[in-house]
PDB file of all heavy atoms in Angstrom:
ATOM      1  N   LEU A 431      98.368 105.174 105.031  1.00  0.00           N
ATOM      2  CA  LEU A 431      98.536 106.507 105.588  1.00  0.00           C
ATOM      3  C   LEU A 431      99.604 107.230 104.656  1.00  0.00           C
ATOM      4  O   LEU A 431     100.723 106.748 104.708  1.00  0.00           O
ATOM      5  CB  LEU A 431      98.928 106.513 107.083  1.00  0.00           C
ATOM      6  CG  LEU A 431      99.525 107.863 107.668  1.00  0.00           C
ATOM      7  CD1 LEU A 431      98.265 108.845 107.859  1.00  0.00           C
ATOM      8  CD2 LEU A 431     100.099 107.472 109.075  1.00  0.00           C
ATOM      9  N   ASP A 432      99.326 108.361 104.132  1.00  0.00           N
ATOM     10  CA  ASP A 432     100.275 109.009 103.307  1.00  0.00           C
ATOM     11  C   ASP A 432     101.006 110.047 104.068  1.00  0.00           C
ATOM     12  O   ASP A 432     100.783 110.545 105.095  1.00  0.00           O
ATOM     13  CB  ASP A 432      99.752 109.536 101.914  1.00  0.00           C
ATOM     14  CG  ASP A 432      98.636 110.550 102.082  1.00  0.00           C
ATOM     15  OD1 ASP A 432      98.681 111.397 103.032  1.00  0.00           O
ATOM     16  OD2 ASP A 432      97.690 110.612 101.289  1.00  0.00           O
ATOM     17  N   GLN A 433     102.057 110.789 103.357  1.00  0.00           N
ATOM     18  CA  GLN A 433     102.850 111.741 103.979  1.00  0.00           C
ATOM     19  C   GLN A 433     102.143 113.120 104.357  1.00  0.00           C
ATOM     20  O   GLN A 433     102.448 113.822 105.270  1.00  0.00           O
ATOM     21  CB  GLN A 433     103.988 112.069 103.094  1.00  0.00           C
ATOM     22  CG  GLN A 433     104.963 110.879 102.882  1.00  0.00           C
ATOM     23  CD  GLN A 433     106.271 111.235 102.337  1.00  0.00           C
ATOM     24  OE1 GLN A 433     106.805 112.399 102.613  1.00  0.00           O
ATOM     25  NE2 GLN A 433     106.683 110.449 101.483  1.00  0.00           N
ATOM     26  N   ALA A 434     100.817 113.229 103.735  1.00  0.00           N
ATOM     27  CA  ALA A 434     100.112 114.428 104.080  1.00  0.00           C
ATOM     28  C   ALA A 434      99.139 114.113 105.228  1.00  0.00           C
ATOM     29  O   ALA A 434      98.409 115.064 105.669  1.00  0.00           O
ATOM     30  CB  ALA A 434      99.295 114.825 102.780  1.00  0.00           C
ATOM     31  N   GLY A 435      99.245 112.926 105.658  1.00  0.00           N
ATOM     32  CA  GLY A 435      98.497 112.528 106.888  1.00  0.00           C
ATOM     33  C   GLY A 435      97.080 112.036 106.584  1.00  0.00           C
ATOM     34  O   GLY A 435      96.071 111.938 107.369  1.00  0.00           O
ATOM     35  N   ASN A 436      96.836 111.785 105.298  1.00  0.00           N
ATOM     36  CA  ASN A 436      95.478 111.269 104.860  1.00  0.00           C
ATOM     37  C   ASN A 436      95.458 109.660 104.890  1.00  0.00           C
ATOM     38  O   ASN A 436      96.386 108.957 104.635  1.00  0.00           O
ATOM     39  CB  ASN A 436      95.204 111.707 103.514  1.00  0.00           C
ATOM     40  CG  ASN A 436      95.087 113.168 103.393  1.00  0.00           C
ATOM     41  OD1 ASN A 436      94.306 113.691 104.243  1.00  0.00           O
ATOM     42  ND2 ASN A 436      95.708 113.872 102.399  1.00  0.00           N
ATOM     43  N   LEU A 437      94.263 109.185 105.237  1.00  0.00           N
ATOM     44  CA  LEU A 437      94.057 107.714 105.315  1.00  0.00           C
ATOM     45  C   LEU A 437      93.220 107.193 104.186  1.00  0.00           C
ATOM     46  O   LEU A 437      92.323 108.031 103.749  1.00  0.00           O
ATOM     47  CB  LEU A 437      93.460 107.334 106.734  1.00  0.00           C
ATOM     48  CG  LEU A 437      94.205 107.674 107.911  1.00  0.00           C
ATOM     49  CD1 LEU A 437      93.216 107.489 109.260  1.00  0.00           C
ATOM     50  CD2 LEU A 437      95.293 106.686 108.061  1.00  0.00           C
ATOM     51  N   ALA A 438      93.372 105.979 103.869  1.00  0.00           N
ATOM     52  CA  ALA A 438      92.433 105.449 102.831  1.00  0.00           C
ATOM     53  C   ALA A 438      92.314 103.876 103.021  1.00  0.00           C
ATOM     54  O   ALA A 438      93.335 103.417 103.570  1.00  0.00           O
ATOM     55  CB  ALA A 438      92.954 105.706 101.418  1.00  0.00           C
ATOM     56  N   ALA A 439      91.248 103.405 102.596  1.00  0.00           N
ATOM     57  CA  ALA A 439      91.103 101.806 102.817  1.00  0.00           C
ATOM     58  C   ALA A 439      90.520 101.306 101.510  1.00  0.00           C
ATOM     59  O   ALA A 439      89.699 102.022 100.857  1.00  0.00           O
ATOM     60  CB  ALA A 439      90.142 101.464 103.983  1.00  0.00           C
ATOM     61  N   GLY A 440      90.907 100.039 101.164  1.00  0.00           N
ATOM     62  CA  GLY A 440      90.153  99.414 100.024  1.00  0.00           C
ATOM     63  C   GLY A 440      90.062  97.904 100.324  1.00  0.00           C
ATOM     64  O   GLY A 440      90.999  97.427 100.964  1.00  0.00           O
ATOM     65  N   THR A 441      89.138  97.349  99.727  1.00  0.00           N
ATOM     66  CA  THR A 441      88.987  95.816  99.741  1.00  0.00           C
ATOM     67  C   THR A 441      88.443  95.344  98.423  1.00  0.00           C
ATOM     68  O   THR A 441      87.668  95.998  97.923  1.00  0.00           O
ATOM     69  CB  THR A 441      87.902  95.583 100.875  1.00  0.00           C
ATOM     70  OG1 THR A 441      88.214  96.385 102.046  1.00  0.00           O
ATOM     71  CG2 THR A 441      87.943  93.999 101.322  1.00  0.00           C
ATOM     72  N   SER A 442      88.863  94.135  98.202  1.00  0.00           N
ATOM     73  CA  SER A 442      88.383  93.524  96.848  1.00  0.00           C
ATOM     74  C   SER A 442      88.151  91.960  97.010  1.00  0.00           C
ATOM     75  O   SER A 442      89.034  91.363  97.704  1.00  0.00           O
ATOM     76  CB  SER A 442      89.357  93.805  95.734  1.00  0.00           C
ATOM     77  OG  SER A 442      88.942  93.232  94.434  1.00  0.00           O
ATOM     78  N   THR A 443      87.124  91.398  96.577  1.00  0.00           N
ATOM     79  CA  THR A 443      86.856  90.007  96.766  1.00  0.00           C
ATOM     80  C   THR A 443      86.036  89.289  95.786  1.00  0.00           C
ATOM     81  O   THR A 443      85.359  89.990  94.953  1.00  0.00           O
ATOM     82  CB  THR A 443      86.164  89.860  98.137  1.00  0.00           C
ATOM     83  OG1 THR A 443      85.936  88.449  98.548  1.00  0.00           O
ATOM     84  CG2 THR A 443      84.753  90.470  98.193  1.00  0.00           C
TER      85      THR A 443
END
Side-chain angles (χ1 to χ4, degrees):
L431 167 67
D432 63 28
Q433 296 193 37
N436 294 314
L437 294 169
T441 314
S442 182
T443 188

